[in-house]
Amino acid sequence: MANNDDVVMVIETTRCSEMKKKETVEKPEVIFEEEAVHSDSDDSILSPVVSDDDYEAFSDEDATNNSDSELLESEEDSDDEVHANIMDQQNPSNDDGLSDGVDDHDQGDGSASEDSREVVDESDSSEDEVGPRNTIGDVPLEWYNDEEHIGYDVTGKKIKKKEKLDKLDSFLAKTDDANSWRKIMDDIEDEEVELTKEETKMIRRMLKGRAPHADFDPHAPYVDWFAWDGAKHPLSNAPEPKRRFIPSKWEAKKVVKYIRAIRKGLIKFDKPKEQPRFYNLWGDETEQSGHGLSYIPAPKAKLPGHEESYNPSMEYIPTQEEINAYQLMFEEDRPKFIPKRFTSLRSVPAYEKSVRETFDRCLDLYLCPRARKKRINIDPESLKPKLPSRKDLKPYPTTCYLEYKGHTGPVVSVCTDPSGQHIASGSHDGTVRIWEVETGRCIKIWELGEPVQHVAWNPLPELPILAVSMGQDVFVLNTGLEKEESKTIADLLRVEATSATDDSESAGSSVSWSQYDKYEGIRIKHFKTVSSVEWHRKGDYFSTVMPAGESKAVLIHLLSKKVTQRLPFKLYGLPVSSTFHPTRSIFFVSTKKTVRVYDLLKKKFIKKLDAGVREISSISIHPGGDNVIVGSKDGKLCWFDMDLSSKPYKILKSHPKDITNVAFHRTYPLFASSSDDCTAYVFHGMVYSDLNQNPLIVPLEILHGHKSVNGRGVLDCTFHPRQPWLFTAGADSVIKLFCH
Amino acid sequence: MPKHYRRAGKKKEGNAARYITRSQAVKYLQVSLSVFRRLCIFKGVFPRDPKKKVKGNHHTYYHMKDILFLKHEPLLDKFREMRAYEKKVKKAVSKKNKDLAERLLTRKPTYTLDMLIRERYPKFIDALRDLDDCLTMVHLFAALPAIERENIQAERIHNCRGLSLEWQAYISRTHKLRKAFISVKGIYFQAEVEGQKVTWLTPHALQQVMPQDVDYKIMLTFLEFYETLLGFVNLRLYHSIKLKYPPILDPRLKALAADLYALTRYADAKDRAVGANDEESELRLAQLQDQLPANEPGALMHLVEDVTDDIEEDEDTKACKTLFQNKTFFLGREVPRESLLFVITAFGGVVSWDGDGAPFEESNQDINYQIVDRPTQSHRFISRDYVQPQWVFDCINARIILPTEEYMVGKVLPPHLSPFVDNEAEGYVPEYAETIKRLQSAARKEILPMPGGEEDGLESAQNLLAEGVIDRTKAKEAAERRQKMALEEKKYHEELKKEMIGMQHTQTSNIDEIRNNGEDEAGPSTRQLVEDDENMAMVSMSRKKRGLLQAMLISNERKRVNVETLETRKKNLKKSKGKESE
């Protein structure tokens, strides 16, 4: 039996080494020696073994770390004792004091107790083989809650429940017992188990995730259990396959691939030579054609001036007030750099904007559109055009010769009679006056009551009558300046009461002719404010303009028949003024944006002159009839050549303020413009009979003298019909005559 | 029908076809905006202003030809390749394919900008012409700290430093520096290389401020191009004086951060070695000129005569070379060593400094000038002048050795004036500029009779001065002419006036009278007349010319106002000074 045991033990140890890889390399040798020792006695190695013994041997082996003496001891133990050990394996009460009466078998001696401890140690691996005292199995313990027993032992006897201590007692017991921390309640056996030192150690190791046993080496080298050396026969009887003898196709393919890659130069074995990073890039100065667009080099950064010095002259440093004043400037105007003075080079700090400025320069370089701009370094005088000398263009009005004073309000309109001996003027003070040109004497005054808008003298010398627009009325007044008393004027200016009512063609309903009682003349009542009156050259027709009159804004009146006609064309925009052509039956109406030209005989629209200015204020026709000047409220004067284009031939930006009136001279090549900036410009405007030659326009003179009243300056200007003289009517209620 | 109606199938024409906006261009090239930006920077493509902005005013327009030019750039493909490569690496890494990632990392696609430089600057002179920004940028980055966050790597900073020093070494070796100016922003230098004036700014050698709101990526892109450009330019310049490039420096000096000195030493040493082989080297002649003892004026003259035909060095260079000749300088510990070392050697002086690697000690008896920037100097050698650094800069700008009294240690310095300003054109000459001018003319008179090598320099100085005089006389003449014209005009107005009054115009109106009476007599009416004349001239001008004239007048006015403020300030200062003295 002992021999048998030995053998079993040996086998166990080998299995152990194999399974747990716990033993060292020397250990099997020892075992084999043992085997050798024992093998002679019994050859049947693999004979069936009693499981109990097996267990015991294993446990011994494990616990005592191959101490032969102990092995021998355990071998000498009797079967009974072994059984007892088995029975006791779960019993942790290996200490003498703690062995309860529940145990059926008391420990006899020290060796036996030691054995039992060893068995307990080994409980983890052989739980199945040694059953517990309680045999109820794996059933829920609640089933026994109401019972007095907790189960049955092997023999079928009930295992009685022990009396439970109440909480206080158990607490007291716990506090009294120093070892209470290592006591665990085993519910199935209904007993307290105290863990040994080794067990606690084991638990600690397991908690750390290591193997429970300290001497277990998880990384021990593998020892092959099969002895290959002595094997006579191969493991497999299969014949050697063919592929072992022939070269691999795939390898060959791979090799071919590599060879090709090498030949192609894809794989290089020698490292490429280190090329120098820089070389003579401009070695051959051959002209390379750049890309199609011209390269515009970036402008160089501005070079620093005296003020950027670290130690500039004192005058470059702004005073504190000036620096403060910079804060009030616009951000764009504010100087970017404020000069500063440092007494020595060592006190100069790092410039805080150096990175920022370089960055801005970078942005400029790649984000700013570049364009070539010609920078001209010329005398500003050379820009001025070469004009013919003004001396050669004489005569023209230059100096104020006479002033006609008498009006008490701004004089808005002035007009000369065809002979040039008298002028008529209308003012906002509600009077129309007639002056003798040469003496400046006021001949006649009409007090009309309302601010006068416009006065116009009949162009026929034998008919010295005056048309005056005032509010919604137009008066045709007899001046009484005719040489000999003739009846024609009186006849002309008589309106029969019936005709006023009968006259109802197109515009008659809105316009009524009537005799003016206060002075000798006719009153034509309109339905809206009349802004201007213009005579036809023959002195029978005259036109009036009512800017607010809509479709009846421009009316043509026939004085001899006392008839009113509407302009038979649609007007686009608000009319400003109207004029008759000096020789032909053509009629000009200027609206705010354009000038429209109509043929009155053919009743046809001829053309539209597009001035391209903000708002037209006045118009005048050259006595030749082919050129028109237009004054605008943005101070521009447009010269139109009717034969050339409908766009202005020349735009003269003369006045900073509104142009109030423009006028051509009837005989001299002169024209003038008057403006609210208190000046009047006189121009030389020569029109040549040769159609190929463009008109020559030369500014001649700026006439000053009027004063500004309520933001208004010169309100009207008109030339003397014979002399190169200019009459200007000012807002300061003075009329001036400028002579050459 | 809309205004810009285009029939279906009809191609775009005019500005709409010729210019595209930036976003259109990016889309057209199928790149990201950042790649487009890089390409534009490298290729030097910039937006252009079309006459008619079809897409609106707030767009950046590129010319279609420029975009096509970008489209055919091989670099564009390279950028695409790099993008693909980066994706591959990223993919490999994220798939934990370590082998592939490592293998890919060894095969990173690279690019060079060499051909781009050749393309942008077909000739070397073109590159020199466009070098200002490049040098300023490289010098700035040489002074910046390496910042990992902004991807400014230390090696690039080192590279910039190396490049800038190589450039400086070349300039100082060939004496091409012309002007230097200490400003608040840094030190401006102007050199003349192959007839091109190259100006650059070096920041003060202090810790630089790194603003947060700057896109360093853009700057680094520019820097990448500039580094390459400056490398090639330096190589070419070094080869032109028969030096190897890149230079191999004395590691000992390099370790002591005396790179510039190491470079100059290198240049000198190589010079001697190479010069012996190459007989025709103009440099050798210059070298010989340097090496010949100064006490043999005859020999030197002879040599110079022989050489003058061959030597390309212009008068200016000679003047610069001889300014500090036979002068020895010593730099104090507190003065900015690098800039002064550069400047003084460029003008022919010999320099040492207080610190490691210095060629000679402070106690050396040959030292003529010691440059010091401290309130007081405790220990002084009698044989030398102790001057502040500004003296050196003022000397080279004036091209004469200025008296040192005003620049002594602890003295309040005279103002440092910019050499880049044309005082005559500006209309205001600072007081100190006049002082310097007087000194220059005095120096010219003194040194005139002296023979020898210095003559050239003097001659050039003379020329300079003579030129200045000629300019002046011209200006004077012009002024006189203007005065005459004004007089004539006045006369004319006088006539007009007389006409106005109705007086018979007499031929005997004497100009002298008007001249004597001047403007006071003319009174407001004349002024009015002049104004009228101007107005009338304006009226008859075309709008374009009128605008031009007005712009000119405005700029003249601005200039005049600036000068006026300067003069009033000066007056005020004088007044306050006078009060103080009382």
Side-chain angles (χ1 to χ4, degrees):
Chain A
M1 183 67 201
N3 281 347
N4 218 359
D5 273 355
D6 277 350
V7 171
V8 167
M9 181 207 71
V10 168
I11 298 240
E12 263 321 304
T13 47
T14 52
R15 198 194 296 161
C16 219
S17 72
E18 183 193 318
M19 281 161 59
K20 292 191 174 180
K21 297 182 180 165
K22 187 177 163 188
E23 270 81 359
T24 54
V25 182
E26 293 88 17
K27 218 170 111 186
E29 283 170 18
V30 173
I31 291 157
F32 280 121
E33 274 169 31
E34 280 175 353
E35 191 186 11
V37 169
H38 296 287
S39 60
D40 50 358
S41 62
D42 197 344
D43 280 336
S44 59
I45 292 169
L46 296 169
S47 63
V49 179
V50 180
S51 64
D52 292 355
D53 288 358
D54 182 14
Y55 164 70
E56 188 212 20
F58 175 62
S59 70
D60 277 337
E61 161 61 29
D62 210 359
T64 55
N65 286 336
N66 273 342
S67 64
D68 284 357
S69 61
E70 268 201 26
L71 270 175
L72 290 172
E73 264 181 26
S74 66
E75 278 160 34
E76 284 156 14
D77 281 342
S78 65
D79 274 357
D80 297 339
E81 214 174 309
V82 169
H83 279 291
N85 280 344
I86 293 160
M87 294 300 287
D88 264 349
Q89 64 146 333
Q90 286 295 338
N91 190 357
S93 56
N94 41 5
D95 290 353
D96 301 35
L98 274 174
S99 59
D100 292 316
V102 183
D103 283 349
D104 292 346
H105 311 271
D106 285 329
Q107 279 88 26
D109 49 17
S111 73
S113 76
E114 208 178 320
D115 272 350
S116 77
R117 195 197 72 224
E118 284 156 9
V119 166
V120 167
D121 278 353
E122 207 42 54
S123 63
D124 59 333
S125 64
S126 54
E127 227 163 14
D128 313 335
E129 290 145 61
V130 184
R133 184 173 61 116
N134 194 349
T135 56
I136 54 166
D138 193 15
V139 297
L141 288 176
E142 298 98 74
W143 294 354
Y144 293 91
N145 276 354
D146 301 333
E147 305 294 330
E148 286 193 338
H149 61 280
I150 53 153
Y152 308 90
D153 63 2
V154 186
T155 52
K157 279 180 193 162
K158 281 181 180 173
I159 302 173
K160 285 272 163 59
K161 270 184 189 168
K162 271 183 273 178
E163 249 180 74
K164 282 213 169 155
L165 293 171
D166 59 349
K167 286 221 165 154
L168 187 64
D169 289 339
S170 65
F171 176 73
L172 286 174
K174 244 183 202 175
T175 47
D176 289 343
D177 191 359
N179 277 340
S180 67
W181 62 272
R182 59 169 84 211
K183 280 178 185 159
I184 294 169
M185 189 64 194
D186 186 351
D187 283 334
I188 296 172
E189 303 293 336
D190 195 24
E191 62 190 9
E192 240 175 9
V193 182
E194 186 172 327
L195 302 178
T196 59
K197 249 184 197 172
E198 283 73 22
E199 277 168 342
T200 52
K201 269 185 196 166
M202 214 183 279
I203 288 167
R204 246 176 237 138
R205 270 191 228 108
M206 280 156 80
L207 282 175
K208 278 179 190 167
R210 286 187 287 177
H213 294 282
D215 41 4
F216 172 69
D217 179 14
H219 306 296
Y222 172 67
V223 180
D224 204 350
W225 54 272
F226 190 79
W228 293 97
D229 300 334
K232 281 177 191 165
H233 302 291
L235 285 177
S236 162
N237 229 1
E240 196 89 334
K242 187 185 173 187
R243 62 176 179 274
R244 300 265 164 88
F245 307 103
I246 59 168
S248 161
K249 179 185 172 187
W250 307 109
E251 269 178 24
K253 280 197 168 183
K254 201 102 195 170
V255 167
V256 166
K257 213 171 156 188
Y258 283 134
I259 287 169
R260 283 195 181 141
I262 290 165
R263 276 187 196 151
K264 271 186 189 169
L266 296 176
I267 298 174
K268 283 172 198 151
F269 296 101
D270 43 345
K271 273 191 178 174
K273 258 189 195 169
E274 278 272 310
Q275 291 283 335
R277 173 71 191 87
F278 298 112
Y279 50 92
N280 194 356
L281 193 64
W282 295 280
D284 50 335
E285 292 270 346
T286 48
E287 191 64 44
Q288 271 196 351
S289 59
H291 61 118
L293 285 178
S294 64
Y295 176 73
I296 305 171
K300 297 203 167 186
K302 200 178 150 279
L303 288 172
H306 293 313
E307 70 279 357
E308 276 190 39
S309 166
Y310 85 101
N311 178 20
S313 309
M314 285 308 284
E315 62 260 28
Y316 284 99
I317 298 160
T319 56
Q320 193 55 47
E321 292 97 67
E322 280 169 317
I323 292 170
N324 294 341
Y326 291 155
Q327 294 305 314
L328 299 175
M329 291 166 116
F330 283 115
E331 206 156 330
E332 296 95 59
D333 302 341
R334 214 175 285 165
K336 303 266 184 311
F337 178 82
I338 295 173
K340 234 176 165 186
R341 187 184 159 94
F342 299 96
T343 48
S344 60
L345 187 55
R346 67 175 179 276
S347 57
V348 181
Y351 184 54
E352 69 271 23
K353 282 189 219 150
S354 55
V355 175
R356 176 90 235 170
E357 279 180 2
T358 319
F359 176 64
D360 288 344
R361 173 79 184 165
C362 286
L363 288 188
D364 284 353
L365 284 179
Y366 92 95
L367 274 182
C368 280
R370 291 185 206 165
R372 267 184 212 283
K373 284 233 168 98
K374 226 192 273 171
R375 170 162 290 184
I376 41 174
N377 196 8
I378 52 165
D379 188 26
E381 293 298 316
S382 65
L383 281 174
K384 291 175 181 170
K386 299 280 168 291
L387 292 172
S389 163
R390 280 182 284 173
K391 276 179 195 166
D392 305 341
L393 303 177
K394 279 180 177 179
Y396 55 85
T398 52
T399 47
C400 180
Y401 180 67
L402 257 184
E403 286 185 350
Y404 304 89
K405 286 182 182 168
H407 279 293
T408 52
V411 186
V412 287
S413 182
V414 64
C415 186
T416 60
D417 84 318
S419 63
Q421 285 174 345
H422 304 283
I423 53 168
S425 65
S427 161
H428 275 191
D429 61 0
T431 60
V432 174
R433 288 171 189 242
I434 292 179
W435 313 79
E436 206 168 52
V437 167
E438 281 172 16
T439 57
R441 191 165 59 92
C442 181
I443 299 173
K444 200 158 190 174
I445 303 173
W446 284 288
E447 301 232 347
L448 297 173
E450 265 186 84
V452 176
Q453 290 292 329
H454 201 250
V455 291
W457 210 295
N458 192 312
L460 290 182
E462 63 272 17
L463 275 182
I465 52 176
L466 203 63
V468 177
S469 79
M470 185 196 75
Q472 297 194 343
D473 301 329
V474 173
F475 298 100
V476 183
L477 299 171
N478 185 5
T479 55
L481 291 173
E482 64 269 38
K483 299 285 183 324
E484 63 263 13
E485 202 70 32
S486 65
K487 276 200 170 173
T488 50
I489 295 173
D491 289 344
L492 209 60
L493 296 180
R494 188 172 303 122
V495 184
E496 286 155 28
T498 50
S499 70
T501 48
D502 289 348
D503 180 37
S504 54
E505 286 169 45
S506 54
S509 58
S510 50
V511 174
S512 63
W513 292 68
S514 62
Q515 198 72 39
Y516 188 44
D517 301 332
K518 197 175 173 189
Y519 300 106
E520 188 190 356
I522 301 172
R523 172 180 184 162
I524 307 163
K525 190 158 177 57
H526 288 64
F527 61 98
K528 285 276 157 54
T529 312
V530 179
S531 70
S532 79
V533 178
E534 288 291 333
W535 286 95
H536 186 249
R537 66 180 184 282
K538 283 178 182 164
D540 201 9
Y541 290 97
F542 64 94
S543 70
T544 56
V545 174
M546 288 179 286
E550 296 185 347
S551 66
K552 293 169 190 168
V554 182
L555 301 173
I556 296 172
H557 309 273
L558 180 56
L559 183 61
S560 55
K561 291 185 179 171
K562 320 286 186 295
V563 170
T564 301
Q565 272 185 321
R566 188 176 69 89
L567 191 70
F569 305 104
K570 187 177 190 298
L571 279 174
Y572 297 89
L574 286 179
V576 175
S577 65
S578 63
T579 329
F580 289 95
H581 191 275
T583 50
R584 288 156 62 198
S585 65
I586 292 174
F587 188 59
F588 295 83
V589 178
S590 65
T591 60
K592 278 196 171 178
K593 292 280 175 193
T594 57
V595 176
R596 296 176 159 263
V597 188
Y598 302 99
D599 191 331
L600 289 175
L601 271 187
K602 294 178 186 167
K603 299 211 167 179
K604 221 173 78 184
F605 170 72
I606 298 173
K607 71 187 328 186
K608 186 178 84 175
L609 303 178
D610 195 2
V613 292
R614 207 179 63 221
E615 193 177 336
I616 291 172
S617 65
S618 52
I619 180 173
S620 180
I621 319 288
H622 188 264
D626 278 344
N627 293 282
V628 178
I629 49 171
V630 165
S632 81
K633 288 207 169 174
D634 46 359
K636 281 178 187 161
L637 197 152
C638 310
W639 177 292
F640 288 95
D641 194 333
M642 298 265 284
D643 299 334
L644 212 63
S645 151
S646 66
K647 291 264 160 25
Y649 156 66
K650 200 152 207 177
I651 297 177
L652 303 167
K653 171 91 179 83
S654 46
H655 296 280
K657 282 187 174 175
D658 304 5
I659 289 179
T660 50
N661 198 20
V662 288
F664 265 115
H665 197 281
R666 229 183 261 177
T667 46
Y668 286 94
L670 291 174
F671 65 96
S673 66
S674 63
S675 159
D676 276 342
D677 61 351
C678 300
T679 61
Y681 271 70
V682 180
F683 299 88
H684 175 83
M686 189 64 175
V687 177
Y688 300 96
S689 52
D690 180 8
L691 285 176
N692 285 334
Q693 201 161 3
N694 285 329
L696 173 73
I697 298 169
V698 182
L700 290 174
E701 191 68 41
I702 302 174
L703 304 174
H704 300 270
H706 285 286
K707 289 184 196 78
S708 174
V709 174
N710 291 336
R712 309 221 58 189
V714 186
L715 299 179
D716 198 7
C717 66
T718 183
F719 276 105
H720 190 273
R722 305 240 168 81
Q723 300 291 328
W725 298 345
L726 186 73
F727 298 96
T728 55
D732 52 352
S733 65
V734 178
I735 304 162
K736 291 195 176 201
L737 167 63
F738 289 91
C739 293
H740 63 283
Chain B
M1 196 192 284
K3 205 176 172 189
H4 303 291
Y5 175 74
R6 184 162 47 84
R7 184 160 53 72
K10 190 168 185 289
K11 276 186 182 173
K12 276 188 190 171
E13 281 174 356
N15 279 333
R18 233 170 284 142
Y19 292 94
I20 58 174
T21 62
R22 189 177 65 170
S23 45
Q24 277 177 324
V26 165
K27 221 177 244 178
Y28 180 80
L29 293 176
Q30 297 188 5
V31 290
S32 67
L33 185 59
S34 57
V35 169
F36 177 73
R37 187 189 294 147
R38 274 173 81 81
L39 264 180
C40 282
I41 290 170
F42 286 149
K43 291 279 278 185
V45 166
F46 45 84
R48 288 173 198 255
D49 249 350
K51 268 201 180 135
K52 187 176 178 185
K53 295 182 171 174
V54 179
K55 286 276 171 182
N57 256 337
H58 301 292
H59 288 278
T60 319
Y61 289 90
Y62 286 87
H63 200 283
M64 199 58 209
K65 275 189 182 169
D66 278 335
I67 298 303
L68 288 174
F69 181 53
L70 289 185
K71 196 185 169 194
H72 291 97
E73 173 59 43
L75 212 55
L76 184 64
D77 293 335
K78 205 78 197 179
F79 284 146
R80 289 213 180 99
E81 203 177 298
M82 285 172 80
R83 194 171 133 79
Y85 162 80
E86 265 156 29
K87 273 187 180 170
K88 273 183 209 163
V89 171
K90 203 178 162 193
K91 199 171 175 182
V93 167
S94 56
K95 284 195 170 179
K96 310 224 166 103
N97 196 347
K98 221 175 174 187
D99 292 343
L100 183 60
E102 268 170 15
R103 201 160 0 112
L104 282 172
L105 280 175
T106 58
R107 281 194 263 140
K108 191 176 179 184
T110 54
Y111 63 91
T112 56
L113 301 174
D114 305 0
M115 286 334 285
L116 275 185
I117 285 168
R118 182 68 207 268
E119 186 185 271
R120 277 177 72 171
Y121 308 110
K123 289 186 175 171
F124 181 57
I125 206 101
D126 300 328
L128 281 180
R129 222 172 269 159
D130 219 4
L131 211 59
D132 286 18
D133 289 316
C134 166
L135 282 171
T136 305
M137 184 84 134
V138 168
H139 276 88
L140 174 71
F141 266 84
L144 288 189
I147 302 174
E148 204 55 46
R149 178 168 40 89
E150 307 287 5
N151 205 18
I152 306 175
Q153 280 144 7
E155 60 221 55
R156 292 191 76 177
I157 301 280
H158 287 310
N159 186 29
C160 284
R161 195 172 148 69
L163 285 170
S164 61
L165 289 177
E166 281 157 20
W167 166 262
Q168 286 184 12
Y170 169 79
I171 294 293
S172 83
R173 171 69 222 154
T174 52
H175 307 288
K176 294 214 192 282
L177 190 66
R178 291 291 170 270
K179 287 166 182 174
F181 173 55
I182 313 172
S183 89
V184 174
K185 296 179 181 180
I187 303 178
Y188 283 91
F189 294 105
Q190 191 174 60
E192 201 174 326
V193 184
E194 303 201 358
Q196 296 300 320
K197 275 182 181 154
V198 184
T199 317
W200 72 96
L201 170 69
T202 60
H204 290 298
L206 296 162
Q207 176 73 41
Q208 298 297 320
V209 182
M210 303 292 281
Q212 291 293 315
D213 53 342
V214 161
D215 189 353
Y216 288 96
K217 263 187 219 159
I218 292 175
M219 290 184 90
L220 286 172
T221 313
F222 268 100
L223 187 69
E224 196 178 341
F225 181 77
Y226 286 154
E227 276 174 305
T228 322
L229 172 63
L230 192 55
F232 280 110
V233 168
N234 276 352
L235 176 120
R236 168 86 179 209
L237 291 174
Y238 272 62
H239 281 196
S240 74
I241 56 168
K242 311 262 187 296
L243 283 180
K244 240 186 202 164
Y245 187 86
I248 301 129
L249 302 183
D250 188 349
R252 191 175 59 88
L253 283 172
K254 217 176 174 185
L256 293 172
D259 292 6
L260 186 61
Y261 177 61
L263 265 168
T264 41
R265 279 272 301 272
Y266 167 78
D268 288 349
K270 267 282 150 53
D271 235 25
R272 247 161 252 145
V274 174
N277 301 335
D278 198 340
E279 283 297 320
E280 287 176 1
S281 153
E282 59 198 63
L283 214 95
R284 178 183 137 72
L285 292 169
Q287 180 82 31
L288 274 173
Q289 212 173 326
D290 278 353
Q291 285 170 348
L292 270 170
N295 53 11
E296 284 181 278
L300 194 66
M301 276 296 286
H302 182 69
L303 191 81
V304 169
E305 271 170 25
D306 278 355
V307 163
T308 38
D309 297 341
D310 300 320
I311 268 190
E312 271 183 64
E313 279 183 352
D314 49 333
E315 303 287 313
D316 223 13
T317 311
K318 279 178 205 157
C320 289
K321 194 195 269 183
T322 50
L323 181 66
F324 286 146
Q325 208 170 32
N326 305 327
K327 301 271 194 304
T328 312
F329 292 80
F330 189 82
L331 310 180
R333 195 160 34 81
E334 68 283 351
V335 298
R337 188 208 297 165
E338 215 145 74
S339 54
L340 276 168
L341 190 61
F342 167 51
V343 166
I344 293 169
T345 45
F347 283 83
V350 182
V351 196
S352 177
W353 60 87
D354 192 358
D356 296 327
F360 46 83
E361 291 294 305
E362 189 180 354
S363 53
N364 195 322
Q365 287 304 311
D366 295 338
I367 295 170
N368 303 101
Y369 299 100
Q370 181 154 351
I371 295 165
V372 189
D373 192 8
R374 53 178 83 178
T376 49
Q377 176 74 18
S378 48
H379 176 260
R380 293 187 189 221
F381 292 87
I382 302 163
S383 63
R384 63 182 80 155
D385 288 335
Y386 286 84
V387 290
Q388 299 198 34
Q390 192 192 320
W391 179 78
V392 177
F393 288 87
D394 280 354
C395 278
I396 63 168
N397 289 334
R399 297 284 161 73
I400 51 165
I401 305 275
L402 293 170
T404 53
E405 286 88 48
E406 295 207 63
Y407 297 92
M408 288 295 197
V409 181
K411 284 240 172 150
V412 175
L413 289 165
H416 182 53
L417 299 175
S418 167
F420 303 111
V421 181
D422 183 3
N423 284 327
E424 311 280 343
E426 208 77 354
Y428 178 78
V429 186
E431 215 178 317
Y432 195 63
E434 276 166 1
T435 318
I436 286 179
K437 201 151 242 178
R438 264 202 303 281
L439 285 169
Q440 277 173 332
S441 57
R444 189 185 78 215
K445 266 172 212 156
E446 266 178 30
I447 310 170
L448 254 181
M450 273 172 69
E454 282 183 358
E455 199 189 51
D456 304 313
L458 294 171
E459 259 174 26
S460 74
Q462 228 171 308
N463 286 345
L464 265 175
L465 282 167
E467 273 168 25
V469 169
I470 286 164
D471 283 352
R472 272 226 166 151
T473 49
K474 264 185 196 166
K476 232 178 239 170
E477 272 170 24
E480 272 171 14
R481 225 176 295 141
R482 237 172 282 146
Q483 221 169 353
K484 224 179 256 173
M485 269 172 69
L487 266 172
E488 248 150 31
E489 209 168 277
K490 225 177 269 172
K491 190 178 152 194
Y492 169 66
H493 290 312
E494 201 66 18
E495 281 168 21
L496 284 179
K497 222 165 49 177
K498 275 173 189 164
E499 275 173 22
M500 263 190 281
I501 305 157
M503 261 169 63
Q504 195 62 33
H505 170 70
T506 48
Q507 282 292 334
T508 54
S509 64
N510 49 345
I511 303 163
D512 293 0
E513 199 182 290
I514 303 161
R515 187 182 286 164
N516 290 341
N517 295 338
E519 284 200 352
D520 315 349
E521 194 249 11
S525 62
T526 320
R527 216 172 298 140
Q528 178 76 64
L529 278 176
V530 173
E531 215 172 83
D532 283 0
D533 274 3
E534 264 169 27
N535 279 344
M536 270 186 288
M538 291 283 247
V539 164
S540 52
M541 264 191 255
S542 69
R543 194 168 61 176
K544 196 174 167 188
K545 274 195 175 172
R546 203 188 309 145
L548 195 62
L549 181 70
Q550 265 160 356
M552 275 178 169
L553 291 178
I554 286 169
S555 75
N556 282 355
E557 177 64 17
R558 201 173 288 154
K559 206 183 256 180
R560 197 185 58 74
V561 165
N562 277 346
V563 170
E564 238 168 45
T565 48
L566 285 178
E567 266 159 8
T568 48
R569 268 185 214 156
K570 199 174 176 183
K571 237 181 246 169
N572 290 342
L573 279 172
K574 258 186 191 167
K575 256 187 213 166
S576 60
K577 243 182 215 171
K579 270 180 196 169
E580 273 172 29
S581 64
E582 277 168 19

